[in-house]
Amino acid sequence: MSTQISKPAEQRLGNDSPPANSTLVDELEDLSIGAIEERLEAVSERFYYASQWQLILWRFQRHRLAVLSLILLVILYLLAAFAEFFSPYLATSRFTGLQMAPPTRIHIFHEGKLHRPFIYAPQRSLDPETFRYIFVEDTSTPYPILFFTQGEEYKLWGLWSANLRLFGTGPDAPPIMLFGSDPLGRDIFSRTIYGARISLTIGLLGVAISFVIGVIIGGISGYFGGTIDEVIQRLIDVIISIPLIPFWMALSAALPRNWTTVQTFFAITLILAAVNWTGLARVVRGKLLALREEDYALAAQVAGASKPRIIFRHLLPGFTSHLIVSITLSIPVAILGETALSFLGLGIQAPAVSWGVLLQDAQDLMVVAQQPWRLIPAIFVIGAVLLFNFVGDGLRDAADPYST
Amino acid sequence: MNVYKDMLLKVEGLCKYFPLQRGFLRRTVGYIKAVDNLSLDVRRGEVLGVVGESGCGKTTLGRCIVRVYEPTDGQMTLYVDGRELSLTELSGEEMRLFRRSVQMIFQDPFASLNPRMSILETVGEPLLVNKIASGRELEERVAKVIQQVGLRVEHLRRYPHSFSGGQRQRIGIARALVVEPKLVVADEPVSALDVSIQAQILNLLKDLQEQQNLTYIFVSHNMAVIRYISDRIAVMYAGKLVELGPKHELLTRPKHPYTELLLAAVPRTVERRRGQRTVTPGEPPDLAHLPSGCVFRTRCKYAKERCAEEEPQLRELETGYFVSCHFAEELTLSGVAPRVQSFAA
Amino acid sequence: MQTTKNVLVEIEDLKVEFRLHEGTVHALEGVSLRIPQGRTLGVIGESGSGKSVTAQAIMGIIPSPPGKIVQGRVRLYLPENGSERVVDVTELPPNGAEIRQIRGKEISMIFQEPMTSFSPVHTIGDQIMEAIRIHYPEVSKKEARERTIEMMRRVGIPRPEQRVDAYPFQFSGGMRQRAMIAMALICHPRLVIADEPTTALDVTIEAQILELLQDLQKEFGMSIMYISHDLTVVGGIADEVVVMYLGLVMEQAATDELFDNPLHPYTQALWRSIPTIDGELERLSPIRGALPSPFAVHKGCPFYSRCEKRIPGVCEVSRPPMIEVRPNHWVRCFLYSE
């Protein structure tokens, strides 16, 4: 055969089938194109029958960084979901005598001999010149790190009592504090993982709420058009033009101080969503307006399809992929929002833990100079935001599988 | 009623004005008269070619007929199943009959298929939403029409992205024909296709028309395509119907100066050299600011005072031949002299 | 002046590939053609024929990556002070000073879509005179403006003194294309490449633009490379025609010869498949099949799968050479080999 296919790819099939009545063409057809087509079909069968979501998945998979980021995000959310299991201690457990301790070092050599991973007990003493605590390791006894060990009692998701922890040092050994401790002697690693729970879910929940508001308002705007559209768009203009931080501050300052953690949590989520929905509403409206003019929407109308069918069967699937991208990209905004509010002392309040609360604890200059480990939660904030952006980027490229 | 025996569609005084809105409050400052006071009738089994330059209103006319656009004014009557349907006031049941009777083929084979629906879903949609068929029966009917347009049954579960432009246009044709309509409005169905594919689609449309006794309103800017496919030709200019008549007469002896100009501008294949293709200066008028009187007078080399003062009405010059020009009787205009007089087809 | 052979551009065995994620597109598979001085070469081709890539190669604007010139030469013969300067575009750095001196001054281009070819934020006049400002910095702003107005008048834009300060959206499609032509001609280039310049225009406007191009050619003596998918349009303007298919020149001849006496099966099939305004009104005979996938690799003749006159065992095995069947009438087809 003269024609070889260099790669099974997004290509059209090299054959228009013959016109209905032409026998000449039929005859010739069998000679050549049929054979080529068969080969082509065998190679790219999968592609021809692929639906939109399969195409998006295939394109997304080509985006290495996005796939990696997605995996890391899933791990992050697993950590948050099973915080009790992954963290060695409760967020509130205090270790007296170990306030402001630096990250515990993990050793594998004891007295020159290879040993399973272990830690030494920290000894605190006061530096006579600077009057600062210094920690030295008491190298006499190694305390091995235990995996799947019994630790402090906890209630998983407030439902089941358990005490299994991924790792720990056992009841009589000194604590393992991977990220060091805070002035109250609490393990920052455990607190970071517990904090992820609030910080990461507030992003999801906040965006879920803005999604609902955004789709409804954007849908109304794009579907009805005209004056309603004009009013809504100007309203969005006004909301967008409000400076974000002062607006949030004003709203959260209005929250009653005696609310429970859960109440505050939902209130903060709503406050974040109150601004976040505008972007989504714009996306929905713009896409609706654009797609309404698409020939296939007209074709559906000519076919006799009802308005709801046109919207839900033809238009909405046309931009769900874009919506997912917008959502992915607005989650980090909500996470940063929570962090910013809590950092300013206006969001989540202690004793609840979030990344913002942890950073608020660490917000004075002395900390940066003397206990830099207390800023480790900031790395998590940056990391989570970056990961979401990478995933969003990959999704954006994959979202429209028909663009090329 | 005998008059309407072979009448399929009657359009009377059709107007479609698009409001021209300006400023913050979207005040209507004027209208674009996309189609203005247009009357014509479409006969059963014929191909009526509608030709004109961009902005002449030919697409708007087609979209009014398939009821995608709401006409500003005018009457459209469809004669099907021994009934008279007034297209501007269809009841629910009449609407379903209408959708079964009138369908459309679109220009852009890439934009007119929903990329997220398989061929079966796309072609089957008119059957489904009009409650004509479903399930097994729907699939069988779709398979039948897919074969009629020259595609294979195995293609049914594929998505549009796996087809070439020509194949997609076949799918679009299948979608229009699956309900076995009486009238099909084809809006530039070959303009977006490669040259070597156009003839396949034109032949297919012609074959299908003969086999199923279809009636086409074939909208195109391409005079050569219109000449090939049409029985009668309607020429539009700036929202008005300026001339309507049987193909042969209209092409060889046009009665309206615009038709003459249009024909003169089409590139020739037999006499290619310059001079055969006459160039006339000027451009179509801005639809929001039409000249007084005859809309064509600004480009018309025969224009007289009367043309600026009085708007010519469409009138029947001879039986079945309509022109809107004050001087249609006096002018002797030149059309296209074909190489071989084989218009019998 | 014997050396010029009256050739302005000579393309020799040009191969261009586009390496895309989905595979490699062999856009040009060894194209050779010459553009004579002061005359019009028409290039006919469907999508994927490589006609626009050929134009991009002459301008030195093949997007790279993914595009890459794999082999071949694009020589420009530019008369200079009585002698001749030969420039090989493929050897110039794509954005170097030398090629930028050539683009806009020696060669310019007219695009299909005049709306997107103009920047919406600058006046038409500023955009037309930009080429003067770049290539002739010694010309004063006032004089550049006068030349611009003169050129706008020449291409038939009414009231150029006022419209020189207008913005593109204030022009109709036809007027924008005239402004585009003024922009292309403002430095009196030796070659104007017109890539489907009338495809977006109405037929009456198209006729005006074609006439204008021909008049301007008489006046300024530039060569025109006229690219179109529309044979009838090319037939009306070109002196010589090249028919391209999937990255190869299939046939080349003087216009009348090619129209009256097409030799290549593809050209013949194309002629039979188009409806005409003045030909016989008979059933069209379409070219069967569709354009092959752009990723397909053709060992033999790329038209093989659709050809009605193919010779199995010959045509798909090796690529047919260009054969001069009649004087100056070249065909790439085994039907005409010994």
Side-chain angles (χ1 to χ4, degrees):
Chain A
M1 204 79 271
S2 67
T3 307
Q4 307 157 349
I5 300 311
S6 56
K7 204 174 167 199
E10 310 185 14
Q11 57 198 215
R12 331 184 203 129
L13 189 53
N15 173 32
D16 249 13
S17 294
N21 295 347
S22 176
T23 45
L24 168 77
V25 173
D26 276 339
E27 261 170 52
L28 289 162
E29 177 78 11
D30 295 329
L31 282 172
S32 68
I33 302 158
I36 299 171
E37 191 188 26
E38 252 168 49
R39 288 190 51 183
L40 242 177
E41 235 161 75
V43 195
S44 37
E45 188 90 352
R46 217 164 60 107
F47 176 73
Y48 292 142
Y49 296 97
S51 70
Q52 181 196 8
W53 295 109
Q54 282 166 298
L55 291 176
I56 290 179
L57 184 66
W58 289 342
R59 278 175 70 132
F60 184 75
Q61 283 170 350
R62 299 209 303 243
H63 230 274
R64 294 263 174 83
L65 183 62
V67 174
L68 184 72
S69 302
L70 186 63
I71 293 170
L72 290 176
L73 270 182
V74 169
I75 293 175
L76 211 50
Y77 271 91
L78 282 176
L79 282 180
F82 299 98
E84 289 87 351
F85 171 69
F86 287 109
S87 63
Y89 309 106
L90 293 177
T92 46
S93 302
R94 299 181 184 193
F95 297 93
T96 39
L98 286 179
Q99 289 91 340
M100 291 182 275
T104 312
R105 290 170 67 187
I106 297 168
H107 301 268
I108 48 171
F109 286 102
H110 180 60
E111 291 168 352
K113 272 183 289 189
L114 193 64
H115 192 282
R116 62 179 288 187
F118 67 93
I119 61 168
Y120 288 122
Q123 294 283 313
R124 188 173 66 166
S125 60
L126 201 61
D127 186 321
E129 283 172 27
T130 59
F131 292 102
R132 276 162 53 189
Y133 288 121
I134 48 172
F135 289 84
V136 268
E137 291 177 326
D138 167 13
T139 57
S140 57
T141 329
Y143 296 95
I145 299 171
L146 309 170
F147 289 94
F148 298 101
T149 174
Q150 314 277 313
E152 291 173 294
E153 186 93 354
Y154 56 85
K155 268 194 142 175
L156 183 62
W157 300 337
L159 294 175
W160 300 285
S161 289
N163 61 359
L164 188 72
R165 303 256 177 190
L166 178 65
F167 66 97
T169 48
D172 300 323
I176 173 169
M177 299 197 281
L178 293 177
F179 295 170
S181 67
D182 69 2
L184 296 176
R186 294 175 298 198
D187 175 29
I188 293 180
F189 177 75
S190 299
R191 286 172 68 76
T192 304
I193 290 186
Y194 275 97
R197 188 172 271 179
I198 285 183
S199 291
L200 291 178
T201 45
I202 219 163
L204 283 189
L205 199 67
V207 168
I209 295 171
S210 24
F211 173 74
V212 174
I213 305 176
V215 168
I216 291 173
I217 295 187
I220 291 172
S221 194
Y223 182 71
F224 290 103
T227 316
I228 296 177
D229 178 38
E230 198 75 10
V231 170
I232 290 177
Q233 291 312 309
R234 295 298 81 79
L235 179 74
I236 290 178
D237 285 342
V238 171
I239 293 177
I240 290 178
S241 66
I242 297 172
L244 217 52
I245 297 284
F247 178 66
W248 279 340
M249 285 171 69
L251 281 180
S252 46
L255 294 183
R257 285 279 139 183
N258 55 0
W259 276 12
T260 65
T261 310
V262 178
Q263 279 175 319
T264 327
F265 174 80
F266 281 109
I268 296 291
T269 315
L270 278 175
I271 289 170
L272 294 174
V275 177
N276 230 343
W277 64 269
T278 51
L280 278 160
R282 286 247 155 117
V283 172
V284 172
R285 168 191 179 259
K287 279 282 158 192
L288 265 186
L289 285 180
L291 291 175
R292 213 171 54 174
E293 298 300 314
E294 284 281 334
D295 273 1
Y296 68 78
L298 286 183
Q301 203 182 336
V302 174
S306 62
K307 288 228 162 172
R309 184 180 161 90
I310 292 174
I311 291 182
F312 289 107
R313 191 75 184 79
H314 292 274
L315 299 185
L316 213 56
F319 63 92
T320 40
S321 49
H322 293 268
L323 278 183
I324 291 171
V325 174
S326 301
I327 290 168
T328 317
L329 292 177
S330 54
I331 292 174
V333 178
I335 292 178
L336 285 176
E338 182 276 325
T339 313
L341 280 182
S342 304
F343 180 77
L344 293 170
L346 295 162
I348 305 295
Q349 304 289 334
V353 211
S354 77
W355 289 343
V357 171
L358 292 177
L359 290 176
Q360 192 206 0
D361 285 351
Q363 66 172 284
D364 83 66
L365 202 61
M366 291 288 282
V367 170
V368 183
Q370 295 169 9
Q371 303 150 29
W373 58 88
R374 287 177 60 196
L375 292 172
I376 289 175
I379 297 173
F380 278 73
V381 176
I382 295 167
V385 170
L386 279 179
L387 292 178
F388 269 111
N389 277 308
F390 291 149
V391 172
D393 248 15
L395 279 176
R396 183 174 20 220
D397 292 348
D400 199 353
Y402 310 107
S403 59
T404 48
Chain B
M1 286 307 285
N2 235 358
V3 189
Y4 299 124
K5 206 179 77 186
D6 46 72
M7 175 106 61
L8 181 62
L9 174 73
K10 188 170 186 61
V11 177
E12 290 165 291
L14 183 73
C15 298
K16 176 64 189 173
Y17 298 166
F18 292 98
L20 205 61
Q21 292 171 327
R22 292 266 159 77
F24 181 72
L25 293 169
R26 304 204 168 200
R27 278 184 311 128
T28 301
V29 294
Y31 288 96
I32 290 187
K33 299 182 174 181
V35 172
D36 193 21
N37 195 14
L38 183 141
S39 302
L40 53 78
D41 45 323
V42 182
R43 297 166 197 165
R44 230 170 273 279
E46 77 165 342
V47 179
L48 175 68
V50 179
V51 70
E53 296 176 270
S54 56
C56 73
K58 54 188 191 302
T59 294
T60 308
L61 168 67
R63 290 187 173 181
C64 283
I65 291 173
V66 297
R67 302 293 290 109
V68 170
Y69 287 164
E70 189 71 34
T72 311
D73 197 10
Q75 283 295 318
M76 292 185 286
T77 318
L78 186 72
Y79 302 90
V80 281
D81 290 3
R83 297 173 60 177
E84 280 185 32
L85 298 185
S86 173
L87 300 195
T88 44
E89 41 204 55
L90 292 170
S91 70
E93 182 266 339
E94 285 175 329
M95 192 66 184
R96 276 194 295 281
L97 176 60
F98 170 72
R99 289 293 178 213
R100 278 211 306 275
S101 311
V102 181
Q103 280 296 319
M104 184 162 187
I105 299 168
F106 292 82
Q107 169 173 3
D108 186 342
F110 289 85
S112 64
L113 301 181
N114 186 340
R116 290 154 188 92
M117 282 165 72
S118 71
I119 303 319
L120 178 64
E121 291 173 289
T122 295
V123 177
E125 182 165 44
L127 295 176
L128 193 71
V129 297
N130 292 304
K131 301 190 175 64
I132 298 170
S134 61
R136 187 92 221 125
E137 193 196 343
L138 180 138
E139 210 169 320
E140 274 162 20
R141 284 187 69 166
V142 172
K144 192 178 140 217
V145 74
I146 276 289
Q147 285 169 310
Q148 281 173 347
V149 300
L151 295 173
R152 305 202 194 136
V153 184
E154 303 93 89
H155 294 164
L156 276 185
R157 304 208 181 262
R158 285 192 189 168
Y159 288 84
H161 62 258
S162 62
F163 294 96
S164 67
Q167 287 175 316
R168 286 181 196 219
Q169 200 55 297
R170 289 172 194 268
I171 296 166
I173 293 170
R175 170 176 56 195
L177 297 188
V178 72
V179 295
E180 295 172 1
K182 303 286 181 293
L183 175 65
V184 174
V185 176
D187 188 2
E188 304 264 13
V190 297
S191 304
L193 302 176
D194 267 313
V195 185
S196 69
I197 306 299
Q198 289 188 6
Q200 294 176 356
I201 299 297
L202 283 174
N203 280 354
L204 174 69
L205 285 171
K206 220 165 183 177
D207 293 341
L208 290 168
Q209 190 227 350
E210 281 162 18
Q211 287 160 15
Q212 308 191 9
N213 193 28
L214 288 167
T215 305
Y216 289 148
I217 295 178
F218 194 102
V219 175
S220 179
H221 71 284
N222 187 332
M223 201 45 134
V225 169
I226 287 282
R227 169 180 179 245
Y228 174 73
I229 196 110
S230 309
D231 300 310
R232 290 194 303 152
I233 296 176
V235 183
M236 288 185 71
Y237 184 78
K240 310 261 186 195
L241 180 64
V242 296
E243 185 164 1
L244 168 64
K247 166 167 72 179
H248 180 55
E249 280 95 319
L250 188 134
L251 289 174
T252 50
R253 291 185 299 277
K255 302 281 189 297
H256 195 284
Y258 175 64
T259 312
E260 180 187 48
L261 183 150
L262 193 60
L263 288 171
V266 179
R268 304 298 199 256
T269 44
V270 183
E271 298 294 335
R272 287 179 303 279
R273 286 291 116 191
R274 195 177 149 197
Q276 289 298 315
R277 191 176 178 185
T278 319
V279 177
T280 316
E283 299 185 358
D286 178 356
L287 288 176
H289 305 99
L290 289 174
S292 65
C294 174
V295 284
F296 183 60
R297 72 177 165 85
T298 48
R299 291 171 86 186
C300 182
K301 58 182 172 183
Y302 310 105
K304 299 198 172 103
E305 261 172 52
R306 187 182 167 197
C307 302
E309 289 156 6
E310 190 187 335
E311 189 185 331
Q313 298 300 315
L314 191 74
R315 58 210 167 90
E316 193 161 9
L317 204 62
E318 307 153 13
T319 313
Y321 204 108
F322 301 85
V323 190
S324 69
C325 175
H326 294 307
F327 305 103
E329 290 89 347
E330 298 152 40
L331 296 171
T332 313
L333 305 176
S334 52
V336 184
R339 180 160 49 173
V340 179
Q341 300 282 331
S342 57
F343 277 95
Chain C
M1 295 297 281
Q2 190 57 37
T3 46
T4 63
K5 299 161 285 186
N6 294 324
V7 170
L8 180 69
V9 180
E10 185 178 34
I11 299 178
E12 211 181 288
D13 201 23
L14 189 66
K15 281 192 184 172
V16 176
E17 290 177 3
F18 285 84
R19 291 180 187 156
L20 306 176
H21 193 95
E22 296 85 354
T24 301
V25 176
H26 300 267
L28 299 184
E29 302 218 55
V31 165
S32 301
L33 56 83
R34 290 167 169 194
I35 303 175
Q37 282 186 352
R39 294 169 69 80
T40 302
L41 177 74
V43 180
I44 293 174
E46 296 179 83
S47 53
S49 64
K51 54 191 195 302
S52 295
V53 178
T54 308
Q56 288 174 342
I58 297 173
M59 293 284 281
I61 53 168
I62 287 180
S64 171
K68 190 174 188 318
I69 294 178
V70 184
Q71 71 170 54
R73 298 268 161 269
V74 179
R75 291 197 194 89
L76 310 180
Y77 298 92
L78 304 169
E80 206 166 67
N81 309 326
S83 70
E84 189 181 72
R85 185 160 69 104
V86 184
V87 182
D88 186 343
V89 176
T90 60
E91 282 174 352
L92 299 181
N95 274 311
E98 207 176 347
I99 186 75
R100 278 189 281 121
Q101 264 304 306
I102 292 171
R103 279 202 291 260
K105 189 179 172 195
E106 308 286 355
I107 311 172
S108 61
M109 205 157 171
I110 305 169
F111 298 95
Q112 173 177 350
E113 189 32 77
M115 192 61 201
T116 49
S117 311
F118 280 108
S119 154
V121 296
H122 295 110
T123 63
I124 290 272
D126 280 346
Q127 297 185 58
I128 294 175
M129 76 181 88
E130 195 185 357
I132 309 182
R133 312 280 296 161
I134 291 171
H135 297 295
Y136 300 96
E138 71 279 7
V139 174
S140 73
K141 194 159 184 194
K142 187 160 172 287
E143 202 196 329
R145 186 180 163 90
E146 271 159 23
R147 280 196 208 174
T148 300
I149 293 173
E150 194 40 52
M151 186 55 81
M152 286 172 75
R153 190 192 321 281
R154 182 61 201 87
V155 298
I157 297 174
R159 293 178 288 111
E161 301 83 358
Q162 289 143 45
R163 307 197 77 171
V164 70
D165 294 320
Y167 287 89
F169 71 89
Q170 294 165 309
F171 277 50
S172 70
M175 281 303 147
R176 267 198 297 269
Q177 200 54 289
R178 285 174 192 271
M180 186 87 196
I181 292 172
M183 190 155 88
L185 292 177
I186 191 75
C187 289
H188 300 284
R190 296 180 201 285
L191 172 66
V192 173
I193 300 174
D195 192 354
E196 306 257 10
T198 62
T199 305
L201 301 177
D202 281 317
V203 63
T204 59
I205 311 298
E206 173 182 83
Q208 295 170 4
I209 297 293
L210 290 178
E211 185 187 56
L212 175 66
L213 276 176
Q214 284 172 300
D215 288 347
L216 291 169
Q217 185 176 36
K218 263 189 211 141
E219 192 177 325
F220 299 125
M222 77 280 189
S223 306
I224 297 177
M225 178 178 176
Y226 194 96
I227 300 171
S228 179
H229 69 284
D230 190 333
L231 348 162
T232 55
V233 169
V234 172
I237 189 168
D239 300 302
E240 208 176 318
V241 177
V242 162
V243 179
M244 291 184 71
Y245 186 77
L246 293 183
L248 278 178
V249 172
M250 299 307 245
E251 184 162 7
Q252 179 169 11
T255 307
D256 286 338
E257 166 73 11
L258 195 85
F259 272 73
D260 297 338
N261 214 343
L263 294 177
H264 197 284
Y266 173 60
T267 320
Q268 293 171 343
L270 214 50
W271 264 224
R272 279 199 310 273
S273 72
I274 56 160
T276 62
I277 192 70
D278 55 352
E280 288 178 41
L281 199 60
E282 56 195 14
R283 190 180 167 83
L284 301 171
S285 20
I287 303 179
R288 66 210 177 84
L291 287 166
S293 146
F295 299 102
V297 177
H298 307 277
K299 217 165 81 192
C301 176
F303 190 58
Y304 177 78
S305 61
R306 305 173 75 187
C307 183
E308 303 201 352
K309 294 182 178 171
R310 63 180 161 195
I311 314 165
V314 176
C315 297
E316 80 275 37
V317 178
S318 63
R319 176 164 301 160
M322 273 303 244
I323 302 162
E324 190 171 17
V325 179
R326 298 148 67 100
N328 284 319
H329 190 155
W330 293 78
V331 185
R332 188 184 290 282
C333 183
F334 282 120
L335 286 177
Y336 303 97
S337 61
E338 315 290 279

